[in-house]
Amino acid sequence: IRNAKGRIIGASKVARDITATKDRERRIRLLLREVNHRVKNHYAIILSMIRQSRSEDTEPAVFQKDLENRIWALSASHDLIASADWQATDLRGLVEKQIAAFHAEAFCRISGPGIALAPAAIENLGMAIHELALHSSKGGVLRMGDGTISITWALATSPAGLAFSMIWDEHLGSKGRDYQLPHSGFGAVVLKRTVPQALNAKVESAHGDGFARWRLVGPAERFLEVPRVSL
């Protein structure tokens, strides 16, 4: 502060705490990197959908419908991740959203503890549930309109540590017959290879007279959201 002659007679200082602003900027940068990664991953998945779906013995109209539904399922999982600010999403909510597309609520029995899934687990389990429901709609309970589908999950300790498991157990009713899970095409790739590899998990499947079972087991840390620590 200067007087009329230009001499300094005082000074003023203003201090502002910009910690919150810097935190928001850091968060935005992290989210942009996450979005970029997810978008690239989705492109790769959609290309795989197109290639593998072509290998399925279906009419062009069926191919188009299945491809649209698969892209919708991927989008539904993405919406859950985005609505949760790219953090954890409840597993039950994911299951319910995926089966709702097939109007399968009346046939499904869902049970398991409340689990906050990591984004990678949301994306991959969402695809798996969709493929199981899609297959059921073509020859299982959802096609026959008779029987039950049990979708359960659990956390349990093992010699290797805490483990996550999920089971799709499908039993046809009076119209039961030899029924098995997808053995070719995109659905088989997702259930047997893509999801287990992405989550470092193992898959077991069984089928017989009117039933089919898909079980996924893997280390819990690949499925659960790890609390984030502010830096």
Side-chain angles (χ1 to χ4, degrees):
I1 301 174
R2 299 176 183 273
N3 62 13
K5 296 182 179 181
R7 295 180 60 188
I8 296 175
I9 59 174
S12 176
K13 179 180 180 181
V14 177
R16 293 192 302 271
D17 184 355
I18 61 171
T19 302
T21 301
K22 290 295 183 182
D23 284 344
R24 283 195 297 271
E25 291 175 353
R26 179 177 63 86
R27 179 64 178 159
I28 289 172
R29 288 194 296 270
L30 288 172
L31 286 174
L32 288 174
R33 286 199 292 269
E34 181 73 12
V35 169
N36 185 52
H37 168 73
R38 294 291 167 191
V39 168
K40 289 181 177 178
N41 190 44
H42 284 181
Y43 285 154
I45 292 173
I46 291 171
L47 287 174
S48 178
M49 285 179 183
I50 295 171
R51 295 191 191 102
Q52 295 296 334
S53 297
R54 281 178 177 171
S55 69
E56 298 173 0
D57 186 18
T58 58
E59 296 293 329
V62 177
F63 164 79
Q64 179 179 334
K65 182 179 179 181
D66 287 352
L67 183 60
E68 289 174 352
N69 287 337
R70 282 164 172 159
I71 293 174
W72 176 90
L74 187 64
S75 174
S77 295
H78 176 87
D79 286 344
L80 287 174
I81 298 172
S83 64
D85 197 20
W86 300 86
Q87 297 186 47
T89 292
D90 181 63
L91 175 52
R92 178 177 288 272
L94 173 66
V95 172
E96 290 175 345
K97 188 157 190 174
Q98 291 293 343
I99 66 171
F102 298 90
H103 308 288
E105 298 87 343
F107 301 98
C108 293
R109 305 292 180 267
I110 303 171
S111 65
I115 292 179
L117 290 177
I122 297 169
E123 188 174 88
N124 283 280
L125 289 180
M127 286 195 299
I129 295 165
H130 175 82
E131 291 303 324
L132 289 164
L134 177 63
H135 185 67
S136 178
S137 71
K138 293 183 175 183
V141 168
L142 300 183
R143 171 64 183 274
M144 303 298 180
D146 187 21
T148 59
I149 299 172
S150 174
I151 307 171
T152 60
W153 59 88
L155 292 172
T157 55
S158 69
L162 189 63
F164 170 88
S165 64
M166 185 173 198
I167 300 173
W168 173 285
D169 199 358
E170 187 167 355
H171 287 263
L172 278 72
S174 58
K175 302 175 183 178
R177 56 182 176 76
D178 187 43
Y179 176 65
Q180 56 183 304
L181 298 175
H183 53 81
S184 63
F186 182 74
V189 172
V190 167
L191 297 172
K192 297 178 181 179
R193 190 172 69 203
T194 303
V195 172
Q197 288 180 355
L199 299 173
N200 191 28
K202 295 181 179 180
V203 164
E204 301 169 355
S205 60
H207 66 91
D209 186 17
F211 86 92
R213 182 180 299 113
W214 181 83
R215 182 172 183 261
L216 178 77
V217 182
E221 63 266 20
R222 298 299 293 267
F223 295 84
L224 306 184
E225 174 73 357
V226 178
R228 301 186 180 187
V229 179
S230 300
L231 301 178

